[in-house]
Amino acid sequence: MNSLKTVLAIILLTFASLLWVSCEKPEPDSPYGEGETSKLKGVTLTLKKVTATKAIFDGTVKDLTPDLIVGVHWNYYPIEHINNTNIVSTYDFVDGRFVLGISDLPSNEVIYYMPYVHRNGVTEYGDCLSFTTAEVTMTVDKVEVMGRVATFTGIADLDGDGGILCSTDPDLSLAKYMNELNPEPYDLDGAYIHKLTDLDFNTTYYYRTYYRDRSAGSDVYGEVKSFKTGETMLTVDNVNISDNVVTFTGNVALDCEGGIFYTTDPDFSDIASCGIIDLSYKSEIPYLRKCSLSFNTTYYYCTFCVRNGEYELGEIKSFTTGSDSSIKDLSLSSATDLSYNGTANCYIVSQSGLYKIKTVKGNDENQILTNATTPELLWETFGTDEVPSRRDLISAVCYKNGYLIFQTANTFREGNAVVAVKDSKGTILWSWHIWLTDKPQEHIYKNNAGTMMDRNLGATSATAGDVGALGLLYQWGRKDPFLGSSSISESIEAESTIVWPLPLDSSTKETTQYLIAHPTTFIDKWYEDSIWQSEKNIYDPCPVGWRVPDGGDDGVWAKAGFGDTTFDRTNQGISFSISSPSTTWYPASGFRSDSGLSSVGGLSDYWSCSFSDFGIAADCLRFDRSGYVDPLYAFYCERGLSVRCIKD
């Protein structure tokens, strides 16, 4: 009988030990108890960080089991019973590690906690421990002022509202608060950086910290201090020249229109004709701006500001651009003739080598550019966010005896480049797109609609989800391409070797001669109703043997039966059903306007050579993220769209 009582007593004591514990506050290793470690049943739990409002635990687990739970009971008083306590727990273990957090705690308060582990149907409890939450902190350790931007840095550990109050009023009266910097008050527990922008120049501002003491129910304010913003400034500290790319660096803090003028006229007699680096209303210290200019040319430059309608010019200085380092003496006889079987505005190159093309206008070998004297490598791009260096794709160019000769880089890389020939005055007479890619495959469409390329013009891939599949963009009727996106889901222009000129805003039709001489200038409000045609002409951008397809009712997409289908939201495009192979990939490459790229990953339009009945538009294929497909869409000719070439 006595032995039975002994066994029952042991069972009761064991059960009680799981529900009733004594909790004494230990001496912590840090002011808040950070670093305290508990070990139980193959689990190590460490109090990693304590702030004014949070406690973060992390730990490790050995021998993961399906029912494993690790948690913490906690309360504001010593835990004597696990009932009526707060619990945080986790089932989420990554490589045997886990994190637990207790949030929304009051500052400067003792918190008691007890870890536990549940495994294989059994729960084990650790010792009752404690930590003390930190006191509320809001400091401004430094204020850096550059122009009209003030940058505050300091420490914030808040359990309520808080931040920095700033005003031009030295008394900082509530009615005159100008700005309130509130650096994520309920979640910030460490160093912060916060900027106050668009301040007045040459003005004294007063500031102080504040935070809400929740226990006292009142705001606590710091000492009133001040800073003064700078005066307006614009300097050119350095002009770096690499071939024809000029980089200006300096400091700017302007409250007006201003920037840098550059011109070949030393007297600045016609300001309206000057090139401009616009730094208006900027508080960027320092700045860096680039522009692409003519080779071997002396330019004059000065800073300027516009006040009350008057130009204030700084000191006039000059620089001279370098020679075109890509121009070399290349062997005409050793070069592979890409135009041997026909001429075009685009040539495909699939391996490193020395190549030549006839300098004629597009596909008309009779229109020879007799006035050509000088070649030029205009630009290069990988079609990605990688910034290419000049000559990464085309290492050298040369002009001899009616041929433009070019050498690719020793290490072949896929991408796109544009080369040109100029006359003795430096005017571009014609330009050609060099498409560095593997040979595009032929895709046969249903209903005898035609044989199309497997990829967009300028694309280095035909693979769904590959940014290389986006290719280049073309204004309708133009032979020269513009950059597409460096992302399949965002409208972020691909990097290239030049600074592209601003779009030309023109309400009248520019002549095709102007477009030929300015192949990198995007023309707003421009169109020409007969420049692309079903019978390939000198302005068609496709390679030899290919052309821009017909649109409308008799066009390739309408004939092939392109209709509403499923949009691939992972790869951002549509795999259309065709005859051979079974599908072909069309990425949602967006479009270009005078304001830049738009709708990449959301929709796409593909030009046809068919001018629309609307008078300022042309027929194209359109599709969007909903799966909507319209093979009879019409879009403004001035937009830059993708091109998918059809076999002649």
Side-chain angles (χ1 to χ4, degrees), residues 73-238:
H73 290 274
W74 65 273
N75 220 324
Y76 298 106
Y77 46 80
I79 298 175
E80 297 181 338
H81 201 284
I82 61 171
N83 291 337
N84 300 319
T85 57
N86 303 288
I87 301 176
V88 293
S89 61
T90 184
Y91 304 80
D92 188 15
F93 307 100
V94 180
D95 297 327
R97 299 191 64 86
F98 65 90
V99 176
L100 287 173
I102 305 175
S103 57
D104 295 326
L105 297 172
S107 60
N108 197 25
E109 185 79 24
V110 177
I111 305 297
Y112 298 87
Y113 70 96
M114 179 172 31
Y116 72 91
V117 175
H118 179 83
R119 189 202 307 263
N120 296 325
V122 178
T123 303
E124 178 187 355
Y125 295 87
D127 294 331
C128 183
L129 304 172
S130 68
F131 60 85
T132 303
T133 52
E135 294 185 2
V136 174
T137 302
M138 184 69 214
T139 68
V140 175
D141 299 331
K142 183 167 60 175
V143 180
E144 292 183 323
V145 181
M146 295 189 295
R148 52 179 178 163
V149 177
T151 302
F152 296 80
T153 57
I155 303 294
D157 194 355
L158 307 172
D159 67 351
D161 198 16
I164 305 165
L165 301 175
C166 185
S167 172
T168 55
D169 173 22
D171 296 328
L172 285 167
S173 60
L174 286 172
K176 295 183 179 179
Y177 282 151
M178 181 177 178
N179 289 284
E180 179 178 309
L181 308 186
N182 199 332
E184 302 177 13
Y186 297 105
D187 194 41
L188 194 62
D189 53 18
Y192 71 86
I193 299 175
H194 202 96
K195 287 188 178 182
L196 190 59
T197 60
D198 297 327
L199 301 173
D200 293 331
F201 283 103
N202 198 26
T203 302
T204 298
Y205 285 85
Y206 301 87
Y207 69 94
R208 63 180 174 183
T209 61
Y210 82 98
Y211 61 85
R212 170 59 61 110
D213 186 339
R214 290 201 296 185
S215 61
S218 60
D219 288 338
V220 178
Y221 295 95
E223 179 185 357
V224 176
K225 298 181 180 181
S226 66
F227 63 87
K228 188 175 182 179
T229 53
E231 297 185 5
T232 59
M233 62 181 298
L234 175 56
T235 66
V236 178
D237 299 332
N238 187 52

Side-chain angles (χ1 to χ4, degrees), residues 331-340 347 349 353-359 398 400-407 434:
S331 171
L332 178 62
S333 60
S334 301
T336 299
D337 189 357
L338 297 176
S339 55
Y340 180 78
Y347 293 94
V349 173
L354 181 66
Y355 299 93
K356 63 185 177 183
I357 57 177
K358 294 177 183 177
T359 51
C398 179
K400 286 182 180 178
N401 299 333
Y403 282 90
L404 190 150
I405 314 161
F406 65 90
Q407 173 71 57
I434 307 302

Side-chain angles (χ1 to χ4, degrees), residues 337-344 347 357-370 402-403 537-538 544:
D337 189 357
L338 297 176
S339 55
Y340 180 78
N341 291 318
T343 60
Y347 293 94
I357 57 177
K358 294 177 183 177
T359 51
V360 299
K361 293 184 177 182
N363 65 335
D364 189 345
E365 297 191 38
N366 295 318
Q367 295 197 45
I368 302 170
L369 300 166
T370 55
Y403 282 90
N537 62 19
I538 63 171
V544 174

Side-chain angles (χ1 to χ4, degrees), residues 3 63 70 107 138 150 224 240 266 384 402 437 489 515 553 566 578 612:
S3 62
D63 302 325
V70 177
S107 60
M138 184 69 214
V224 176
N240 180 269
T384 67
T437 184
S489 58
L515 303 179
D553 292 330
T566 301
I578 59 173
S612 169

